[in-house]
Amino acid sequence: MTRQELQVEEVKNQPDLMTFIRFPWEIYKGDRYWVPPLIKDQLQKFNPTHPFRSHSKMTLFLARKGGKVAGRIAGIIDHNYIEFHQEKVGFFGFFESLPDAEVANTLLSNVAGWLKGHGMEKMAGPINPSTNDECGLLIEGFDAPPCLMMPFNPRYFPSLLENFGLRKRMDLYAYLLEESSFHLDRLDRITERLKKREPQLRVRPIHLGHFDEELKIIKEIYNQAWSKNWGFVPLTDEEMDLLAKDLKPLVVSDLVLFAYWAGEPVGFSVSLPDYNEVLKHLNGKIGLLGMFKFLYYSKKIKKIRVMLLGVKHTFQKKGVEGLLYIETFKRGIRKGYHQAECSWILEENVLMQHGIEAMGGKRYKTYRIYETLL
Protein backbone atom coordinates (compact mmCIF):
# COMPACT_ATOMS: atom_id res chain seq x y z
CA MET A 1 0.00 0.00 0.00
CA THR A 2 1.42 3.40 -1.04
CA ARG A 3 2.11 5.82 1.81
CA GLN A 4 0.03 8.96 1.41
CA GLU A 5 1.98 12.19 1.19
CA LEU A 6 1.45 14.70 4.02
CA GLN A 7 1.61 18.42 3.23
CA VAL A 8 1.23 21.35 5.63
CA GLU A 9 0.63 24.84 4.27
CA GLU A 10 -0.06 28.25 5.78
CA VAL A 11 -3.55 29.66 5.23
CA LYS A 12 -3.03 32.57 2.82
CA ASN A 13 -6.42 33.27 1.27
CA GLN A 14 -10.17 33.30 1.96
CA PRO A 15 -10.96 29.88 0.42
CA ASP A 16 -8.29 28.27 2.63
CA LEU A 17 -9.65 30.15 5.67
CA MET A 18 -13.12 28.75 4.98
CA THR A 19 -11.60 25.27 4.65
CA PHE A 20 -9.87 25.84 8.01
CA ILE A 21 -13.15 26.94 9.63
CA ARG A 22 -15.26 24.15 8.11
CA PHE A 23 -12.86 21.28 8.90
CA PRO A 24 -14.39 20.47 12.34
CA TRP A 25 -17.57 19.36 10.56
CA GLU A 26 -15.48 16.49 9.19
CA ILE A 27 -13.98 15.58 12.58
CA TYR A 28 -17.29 15.60 14.49
CA LYS A 29 -19.55 14.09 11.86
CA GLY A 30 -22.13 12.00 13.75
CA ASP A 31 -20.94 13.11 17.21
CA ARG A 32 -24.12 13.83 19.17
CA TYR A 33 -22.34 16.02 21.72
CA TRP A 34 -20.48 18.39 19.41
CA VAL A 35 -22.04 21.85 18.95
CA PRO A 36 -21.23 23.54 15.61
CA PRO A 37 -19.95 27.11 16.11
CA LEU A 38 -21.47 29.96 14.12
CA ILE A 39 -19.36 30.45 11.00
CA LYS A 40 -19.74 34.23 11.22
CA ASP A 41 -18.30 34.19 14.76
CA GLN A 42 -15.35 32.10 13.58
CA LEU A 43 -14.70 34.52 10.72
CA GLN A 44 -14.70 37.39 13.22
CA LYS A 45 -12.04 35.65 15.35
CA PHE A 46 -9.69 35.37 12.38
CA ASN A 47 -10.35 38.86 11.01
CA PRO A 48 -7.12 40.93 11.00
CA THR A 49 -9.17 43.88 12.36
CA HIS A 50 -10.24 41.96 15.50
CA PRO A 51 -8.99 43.90 18.57
CA PHE A 52 -7.02 40.86 19.78
CA ARG A 53 -4.86 41.17 16.67
CA SER A 54 -3.71 44.67 17.69
CA HIS A 55 -1.36 43.05 20.26
CA SER A 56 -0.80 39.61 18.76
CA LYS A 57 0.51 37.61 15.82
CA MET A 58 -1.34 34.60 14.45
CA THR A 59 -0.66 32.08 11.71
CA LEU A 60 -2.92 29.24 10.56
CA PHE A 61 -1.82 25.89 9.13
CA LEU A 62 -3.77 23.25 7.20
CA ALA A 63 -2.54 19.67 6.83
CA ARG A 64 -3.52 17.63 3.79
CA LYS A 65 -2.90 13.92 3.39
CA GLY A 66 -3.51 12.25 0.09
CA GLY A 67 -5.00 15.55 -1.09
CA LYS A 68 -7.66 15.63 1.68
CA VAL A 69 -7.66 17.95 4.69
CA ALA A 70 -6.49 15.96 7.72
CA GLY A 71 -5.86 18.63 10.35
CA ARG A 72 -5.53 22.27 11.28
CA ILE A 73 -3.77 24.40 13.91
CA ALA A 74 -3.00 28.04 14.77
CA GLY A 75 0.20 29.55 16.15
CA ILE A 76 -0.42 32.54 18.42
CA ILE A 77 1.86 35.10 20.04
CA ASP A 78 0.07 37.42 22.48
CA HIS A 79 2.39 40.32 23.31
CA ASN A 80 0.10 41.47 26.16
CA TYR A 81 0.43 38.03 27.77
CA ILE A 82 4.21 38.06 27.38
CA GLU A 83 4.49 41.57 28.84
CA PHE A 84 2.15 40.80 31.78
CA HIS A 85 3.82 37.50 32.74
CA GLN A 86 7.37 38.34 31.62
CA GLU A 87 7.53 34.92 30.01
CA LYS A 88 8.35 34.14 26.37
CA VAL A 89 5.52 31.68 25.81
CA GLY A 90 3.58 31.27 22.58
CA PHE A 91 0.40 29.30 22.06
CA PHE A 92 -1.09 26.75 19.74
CA GLY A 93 -4.85 26.77 19.27
CA PHE A 94 -7.82 25.76 17.12
CA PHE A 95 -6.25 22.31 16.93
CA GLU A 96 -8.20 19.62 15.08
CA SER A 97 -6.78 16.41 13.66
CA LEU A 98 -7.80 13.03 12.38
CA PRO A 99 -6.61 10.19 14.68
CA ASP A 100 -3.22 10.24 12.96
CA ALA A 101 -0.03 10.85 14.97
CA GLU A 102 1.91 11.92 11.87
CA VAL A 103 -0.63 14.67 11.13
CA ALA A 104 -0.73 15.92 14.73
CA ASN A 105 3.05 15.83 15.18
CA THR A 106 3.65 17.68 11.91
CA LEU A 107 1.10 20.40 12.74
CA LEU A 108 2.52 20.91 16.24
CA SER A 109 6.09 20.91 14.88
CA ASN A 110 5.18 23.64 12.40
CA VAL A 111 3.76 25.85 15.14
CA ALA A 112 6.71 25.11 17.46
CA GLY A 113 9.11 26.12 14.69
CA TRP A 114 7.16 29.30 13.94
CA LEU A 115 7.06 30.27 17.63
CA LYS A 116 10.77 29.54 18.13
CA GLY A 117 11.54 31.62 15.05
CA HIS A 118 9.78 34.54 16.77
CA GLY A 119 11.85 34.20 19.94
CA MET A 120 9.48 32.11 22.06
CA GLU A 121 10.94 29.69 24.62
CA LYS A 122 7.80 27.69 25.45
CA MET A 123 4.67 26.52 23.66
CA ALA A 124 1.38 26.10 25.54
CA GLY A 125 -2.19 25.31 24.55
CA PRO A 126 -4.72 24.76 23.30
CA ILE A 127 -5.67 28.44 23.63
CA ASN A 128 -8.30 29.72 21.19
CA PRO A 129 -6.84 32.36 20.91
CA SER A 130 -6.35 33.61 24.53
CA THR A 131 -7.23 32.68 28.10
CA ASN A 132 -10.08 35.20 27.78
CA ASP A 133 -11.66 32.90 25.20
CA GLU A 134 -12.12 29.15 24.85
CA CYS A 135 -9.12 27.24 26.12
CA GLY A 136 -8.05 23.83 27.32
CA LEU A 137 -8.41 20.30 25.98
CA LEU A 138 -11.23 18.16 27.34
CA ILE A 139 -9.69 15.16 29.13
CA GLU A 140 -12.63 14.07 31.36
CA GLY A 141 -16.37 14.41 30.87
CA PHE A 142 -16.91 13.26 27.30
CA ASP A 143 -20.41 11.95 28.08
CA ALA A 144 -22.09 15.38 28.14
CA PRO A 145 -22.23 18.22 25.61
CA PRO A 146 -20.11 21.34 26.14
CA CYS A 147 -21.64 24.43 27.68
CA LEU A 148 -21.67 27.82 25.94
CA MET A 149 -18.18 29.04 24.98
CA MET A 150 -16.49 25.90 26.34
CA PRO A 151 -14.39 23.60 24.12
CA PHE A 152 -15.07 20.03 23.06
CA ASN A 153 -12.85 17.44 21.37
CA PRO A 154 -12.62 13.70 20.64
CA ARG A 155 -11.25 11.30 23.24
CA TYR A 156 -8.12 10.63 21.20
CA PHE A 157 -6.83 14.24 21.26
CA PRO A 158 -4.97 14.01 24.63
CA SER A 159 -2.86 11.08 23.41
CA LEU A 160 -1.97 13.00 20.22
CA LEU A 161 -0.65 15.95 22.24
CA GLU A 162 1.15 13.78 24.79
CA ASN A 163 2.72 11.70 22.01
CA PHE A 164 4.28 14.93 20.70
CA GLY A 165 5.83 15.57 24.14
CA LEU A 166 3.38 18.09 25.57
CA ARG A 167 2.82 17.81 29.33
CA LYS A 168 0.24 19.16 31.75
CA ARG A 169 0.63 22.82 32.76
CA MET A 170 -2.75 23.44 34.42
CA ASP A 171 -6.16 21.79 34.70
CA LEU A 172 -9.44 23.71 34.55
CA TYR A 173 -12.61 22.31 36.10
CA ALA A 174 -16.29 22.60 35.22
CA TYR A 175 -18.86 22.02 37.97
CA LEU A 176 -22.50 21.09 37.50
CA LEU A 177 -25.24 22.16 39.90
CA GLU A 178 -28.76 20.77 39.59
CA GLU A 179 -31.88 22.16 41.21
CA SER A 180 -32.67 18.73 42.69
CA SER A 181 -29.40 18.72 44.68
CA PHE A 182 -29.08 22.47 45.27
CA HIS A 183 -29.01 23.10 49.03
CA LEU A 184 -31.50 25.97 48.87
CA ASP A 185 -32.69 26.04 52.51
CA ARG A 186 -29.15 25.85 53.86
CA LEU A 187 -27.99 28.56 51.48
CA ASP A 188 -30.89 30.82 52.42
CA ARG A 189 -29.73 30.59 56.03
CA ILE A 190 -26.13 31.35 55.00
CA THR A 191 -27.34 34.36 52.98
CA GLU A 192 -29.32 35.73 55.90
CA ARG A 193 -26.39 35.29 58.28
CA LEU A 194 -24.08 37.01 55.81
CA LYS A 195 -26.44 39.96 55.37
CA LYS A 196 -26.69 40.37 59.15
CA ARG A 197 -22.91 40.13 59.58
CA GLU A 198 -22.18 42.42 56.62
CA PRO A 199 -25.20 44.75 56.32
CA GLN A 200 -23.26 46.98 53.91
CA LEU A 201 -23.20 44.13 51.32
CA ARG A 202 -25.95 43.96 48.70
CA VAL A 203 -26.48 42.48 45.23
CA ARG A 204 -28.45 43.90 42.32
CA PRO A 205 -29.10 42.79 38.71
CA ILE A 206 -27.77 44.62 35.67
CA HIS A 207 -29.79 47.57 34.32
CA LEU A 208 -29.86 46.82 30.60
CA GLY A 209 -31.23 50.31 29.87
CA HIS A 210 -27.92 51.70 31.19
CA PHE A 211 -25.68 49.11 29.56
CA ASP A 212 -22.75 51.45 28.83
CA GLU A 213 -22.60 52.62 32.45
CA GLU A 214 -22.81 49.04 33.69
CA LEU A 215 -19.99 48.05 31.35
CA LYS A 216 -17.78 50.72 32.92
CA ILE A 217 -18.25 49.05 36.32
CA ILE A 218 -17.32 45.65 34.85
CA LYS A 219 -14.20 47.14 33.24
CA GLU A 220 -13.21 48.73 36.55
CA ILE A 221 -13.43 45.42 38.41
CA TYR A 222 -12.45 42.84 35.78
CA ASN A 223 -8.72 43.33 35.26
CA GLN A 224 -8.12 43.99 38.95
CA ALA A 225 -10.13 40.99 40.19
CA TRP A 226 -8.40 38.43 37.95
CA SER A 227 -4.88 39.88 37.83
CA LYS A 228 -3.42 37.31 40.26
CA ASN A 229 -5.00 34.29 38.57
CA TRP A 230 -2.85 31.83 36.64
CA GLY A 231 -2.91 32.50 32.91
CA PHE A 232 -4.60 35.89 33.25
CA VAL A 233 -4.08 38.45 30.51
CA PRO A 234 -5.73 41.88 30.68
CA LEU A 235 -8.51 42.63 28.23
CA THR A 236 -8.12 45.88 26.32
CA ASP A 237 -11.05 48.31 26.26
CA GLU A 238 -11.62 47.40 22.61
CA GLU A 239 -11.73 43.67 23.38
CA MET A 240 -14.10 44.26 26.29
CA ASP A 241 -16.37 46.44 24.11
CA LEU A 242 -16.55 43.79 21.37
CA LEU A 243 -17.26 41.01 23.89
CA ALA A 244 -20.01 43.10 25.49
CA LYS A 245 -21.53 43.90 22.08
CA ASP A 246 -21.58 40.19 21.16
CA LEU A 247 -23.03 39.07 24.50
CA LYS A 248 -25.56 41.87 25.09
CA PRO A 249 -28.34 40.25 22.98
CA LEU A 250 -27.90 37.03 25.02
CA VAL A 251 -28.10 38.64 28.48
CA VAL A 252 -30.92 37.81 30.89
CA SER A 253 -30.96 40.68 33.41
CA ASP A 254 -31.36 38.57 36.57
CA LEU A 255 -28.31 36.50 35.61
CA VAL A 256 -25.80 39.37 35.49
CA LEU A 257 -25.27 40.68 39.01
CA PHE A 258 -23.28 43.40 40.76
CA ALA A 259 -22.15 43.28 44.38
CA TYR A 260 -21.89 46.52 46.39
CA TRP A 261 -20.14 47.10 49.70
CA ALA A 262 -21.27 50.31 51.46
CA GLY A 263 -22.30 51.68 48.08
CA GLU A 264 -19.06 50.79 46.27
CA PRO A 265 -19.18 48.26 43.39
CA VAL A 266 -16.81 45.49 44.48
CA GLY A 267 -17.78 42.46 42.39
CA PHE A 268 -19.85 41.14 39.53
CA SER A 269 -20.91 37.87 37.97
CA VAL A 270 -21.98 37.10 34.42
CA SER A 271 -24.12 34.05 33.73
CA LEU A 272 -25.80 33.27 30.43
CA PRO A 273 -28.37 30.72 29.33
CA ASP A 274 -26.63 27.79 27.67
CA TYR A 275 -27.23 28.86 24.07
CA ASN A 276 -25.36 25.76 22.92
CA GLU A 277 -28.78 24.11 23.27
CA VAL A 278 -29.83 26.43 20.42
CA LEU A 279 -26.62 26.36 18.36
CA LYS A 280 -26.76 22.58 17.95
CA HIS A 281 -29.87 23.09 15.78
CA LEU A 282 -28.34 25.79 13.53
CA ASN A 283 -25.37 23.91 11.97
CA GLY A 284 -23.23 27.04 11.97
CA LYS A 285 -25.67 29.31 10.11
CA ILE A 286 -27.93 32.10 11.36
CA GLY A 287 -30.02 33.15 8.35
CA LEU A 288 -33.75 33.91 8.46
CA LEU A 289 -34.63 30.29 9.25
CA GLY A 290 -31.84 30.25 11.82
CA MET A 291 -33.36 33.28 13.57
CA PHE A 292 -36.73 31.50 13.88
CA LYS A 293 -34.95 28.43 15.25
CA PHE A 294 -33.00 30.62 17.66
CA LEU A 295 -36.17 32.22 19.05
CA TYR A 296 -37.94 28.86 19.30
CA TYR A 297 -35.17 26.86 20.98
CA SER A 298 -34.10 29.73 23.27
CA LYS A 299 -37.35 29.26 25.16
CA LYS A 300 -36.45 25.63 25.85
CA ILE A 301 -33.07 26.29 27.53
CA LYS A 302 -32.96 24.87 31.06
CA LYS A 303 -29.29 25.41 31.89
CA ILE A 304 -27.07 28.41 32.55
CA ARG A 305 -23.33 28.88 32.56
CA VAL A 306 -21.71 30.99 35.29
CA MET A 307 -18.86 32.21 33.12
CA LEU A 308 -17.40 35.21 34.95
CA LEU A 309 -17.25 36.03 38.63
CA GLY A 310 -14.81 38.56 40.01
CA VAL A 311 -14.34 40.48 43.24
CA LYS A 312 -11.84 43.26 43.98
CA HIS A 313 -8.84 41.92 45.91
CA THR A 314 -9.54 43.81 49.13
CA PHE A 315 -13.08 42.38 49.29
CA GLN A 316 -12.25 38.77 48.50
CA LYS A 317 -12.90 36.01 51.06
CA LYS A 318 -15.57 38.13 52.79
CA GLY A 319 -18.56 36.26 51.40
CA VAL A 320 -19.07 38.36 48.27
CA GLU A 321 -18.32 35.46 45.89
CA GLY A 322 -20.69 33.14 47.72
CA LEU A 323 -23.49 35.67 47.72
CA LEU A 324 -23.13 36.24 43.96
CA TYR A 325 -23.29 32.48 43.34
CA ILE A 326 -26.27 31.93 45.63
CA GLU A 327 -28.23 34.87 44.19
CA THR A 328 -27.48 33.68 40.65
CA PHE A 329 -28.80 30.17 41.32
CA LYS A 330 -31.91 31.37 43.21
CA ARG A 331 -32.80 33.86 40.46
CA GLY A 332 -32.06 31.26 37.78
CA ILE A 333 -34.40 28.74 39.40
CA ARG A 334 -37.15 31.37 39.55
CA LYS A 335 -36.71 31.92 35.81
CA GLY A 336 -37.07 28.21 35.04
CA TYR A 337 -33.44 27.11 34.75
CA HIS A 338 -32.80 23.77 36.47
CA GLN A 339 -29.05 23.36 35.95
CA ALA A 340 -25.96 25.55 36.13
CA GLU A 341 -22.39 25.00 35.02
CA CYS A 342 -19.65 26.92 36.83
CA SER A 343 -16.65 27.08 34.53
CA TRP A 344 -13.87 27.27 34.38
CA ILE A 345 -12.32 26.93 37.85
CA LEU A 346 -8.54 26.62 38.21
CA GLU A 347 -7.40 23.37 39.83
CA GLU A 348 -5.41 25.46 42.32
CA ASN A 349 -8.48 27.49 43.35
CA VAL A 350 -9.45 25.08 46.12
CA LEU A 351 -11.46 27.68 48.05
CA MET A 352 -13.81 28.24 45.10
CA GLN A 353 -14.12 24.50 44.51
CA HIS A 354 -15.11 23.87 48.13
CA GLY A 355 -17.63 26.71 47.97
CA ILE A 356 -19.32 25.28 44.89
CA GLU A 357 -19.31 21.76 46.36
CA ALA A 358 -20.95 23.13 49.53
CA MET A 359 -23.80 24.37 47.33
CA GLY A 360 -24.29 20.88 45.89
CA GLY A 361 -22.03 21.19 42.85
CA LYS A 362 -20.16 18.22 41.35
CA ARG A 363 -17.08 18.37 39.15
CA TYR A 364 -18.05 16.78 35.85
CA LYS A 365 -15.55 18.01 33.26
CA THR A 366 -11.79 18.62 33.27
CA TYR A 367 -9.87 20.62 30.67
CA ARG A 368 -6.09 20.65 30.40
CA ILE A 369 -3.59 23.26 29.25
CA TYR A 370 -0.42 21.60 27.95
CA GLU A 371 3.09 23.01 27.69
CA THR A 372 6.54 22.15 26.33
CA LEU A 373 9.91 23.85 26.07
CA LEU A 374 11.01 24.87 22.59
Side-chain angles (χ1 to χ4, degrees):
M1 188 174 179
T2 307
R3 185 173 177 273
Q4 291 182 318
E5 184 183 359
L6 175 63
Q7 294 179 312
V8 174
E9 296 174 350
E10 255 187 285
V11 169
K12 295 288 190 184
N13 54 47
Q14 195 68 14
D16 279 351
L17 177 59
M18 286 306 300
T19 300
F20 185 96
I21 289 171
R22 294 287 310 182
F23 179 61
W25 272 259
E26 177 67 26
I27 292 284
Y28 300 98
K29 192 188 303 177
D31 190 320
R32 65 192 181 112
Y33 292 131
W34 181 63
V35 179
L38 288 177
I39 291 171
K40 73 176 187 65
D41 288 350
Q42 295 293 294
L43 284 167
Q44 178 180 267
K45 281 188 179 184
F46 298 115
N47 192 318
T49 64
H50 191 286
F52 176 74
R53 300 297 286 276
S54 68
H55 55 84
S56 68
K57 288 187 177 76
M58 191 186 301
T59 187
L60 310 179
F61 293 101
L62 276 171
R64 290 184 170 88
K65 199 166 190 178
K68 292 185 177 179
V69 179
R72 72 173 203 183
I73 200 169
I76 302 149
I77 297 171
D78 183 352
H79 295 294
N80 282 4
Y81 185 98
I82 293 166
E83 183 180 345
F84 188 85
H85 290 277
Q86 292 297 296
E87 184 181 28
K88 292 182 178 179
V89 57
F91 303 117
F92 70 92
F94 304 99
F95 172 79
E96 303 284 355
S97 173
L98 295 174
D100 185 322
E102 184 189 16
V103 171
N105 286 344
T106 306
L107 285 168
L108 289 160
S109 292
N110 272 264
V111 169
W114 181 80
L115 292 173
K116 195 169 183 179
H118 284 81
M120 298 299 104
E121 297 170 353
K122 292 180 184 177
M123 178 172 76
I127 305 285
N128 309 322
S130 85
T131 51
N132 291 313
D133 213 306
E134 290 185 14
C135 57
L137 193 81
L138 182 66
I139 63 166
E140 293 174 348
F142 293 94
D143 55 349
C147 216
L148 179 70
M149 296 175 69
M150 290 296 285
F152 184 75
N153 52 264
R155 292 174 186 266
Y156 62 83
F157 272 23
S159 62
L160 288 179
L161 298 191
E162 289 158 15
N163 179 67
F164 179 75
L166 286 153
R167 296 294 176 257
K168 171 187 166 180
R169 176 64 182 86
M170 180 66 69
D171 280 352
L172 318 172
Y173 298 149
Y175 280 82
L176 182 68
L177 287 104
E178 302 190 79
E179 183 182 359
S180 57
S181 57
F182 189 56
H183 303 154
L184 198 55
D185 292 343
R186 178 185 169 198
L187 295 171
D188 276 337
R189 291 195 297 273
I190 293 172
T191 303
E192 289 308 309
R193 282 202 303 271
L194 182 60
K195 286 178 178 176
K196 284 179 182 176
R197 192 180 80 224
E198 309 290 358
Q200 63 271 58
L201 177 60
R202 69 179 181 90
V203 169
R204 69 161 176 86
I206 191 171
H207 301 316
L208 287 173
H210 301 279
F211 190 78
D212 290 344
E213 289 84 352
E214 303 287 61
L215 184 58
K216 286 177 186 174
I217 298 173
I218 291 175
K219 284 180 179 179
E220 177 198 341
I221 297 170
Y222 179 83
N223 285 334
Q224 192 217 106
W226 273 273
S227 62
K228 294 181 181 178
N229 285 0
W230 176 88
F232 169 80
V233 60
L235 276 169
T236 65
D237 277 355
E238 292 76 17
E239 287 174 296
M240 187 80 83
D241 289 342
L242 180 60
L243 182 62
K245 179 186 172 187
D246 288 345
L247 295 183
K248 184 180 178 182
L250 310 178
V251 167
V252 173
S253 62
D254 259 5
L255 299 180
V256 177
L257 304 177
F258 293 91
Y260 282 77
W261 194 289
E264 176 190 351
V266 299
F268 74 93
S269 63
V270 176
S271 304
L272 293 174
D274 182 15
Y275 288 101
N276 270 5
E277 294 183 27
V278 179
L279 292 177
K280 66 185 179 184
H281 298 284
L282 301 183
N283 198 30
K285 299 172 184 174
I286 189 77
L288 184 59
L289 179 59
M291 286 303 299
F292 282 118
K293 285 182 177 180
F294 187 91
L295 293 170
Y296 175 76
Y297 287 109
S298 292
K299 295 173 184 174
K300 297 180 177 292
I301 298 173
K302 298 299 178 188
K303 184 179 182 182
I304 64 172
R305 179 186 168 208
V306 185
M307 59 189 295
L308 288 173
L309 190 148
V311 176
K312 290 180 179 178
H313 291 310
T314 51
F315 294 91
Q316 290 175 4
K317 300 180 182 178
K318 293 187 175 183
V320 181
E321 299 94 336
L323 188 57
L324 285 167
Y325 267 127
I326 292 167
E327 284 294 324
T328 295
F329 302 144
K330 286 168 64 176
R331 291 166 187 258
I333 288 169
R334 285 201 294 268
K335 285 193 168 290
Y337 300 103
H338 304 302
Q339 291 184 322
E341 176 176 303
C342 303
S343 58
W344 37 267
I345 312 293
L346 288 168
E347 67 170 321
E348 63 187 21
N349 193 346
V350 178
L351 192 66
M352 185 71 80
Q353 293 167 38
H354 288 170
I356 295 170
E357 288 162 4
M359 289 182 273
K362 289 183 171 56
R363 197 174 96 205
Y364 83 126
K365 286 181 180 287
T366 303
Y367 301 86
R368 179 161 293 172
I369 305 289
Y370 289 86
E371 184 179 80
T372 187
L373 293 172
L374 295 176

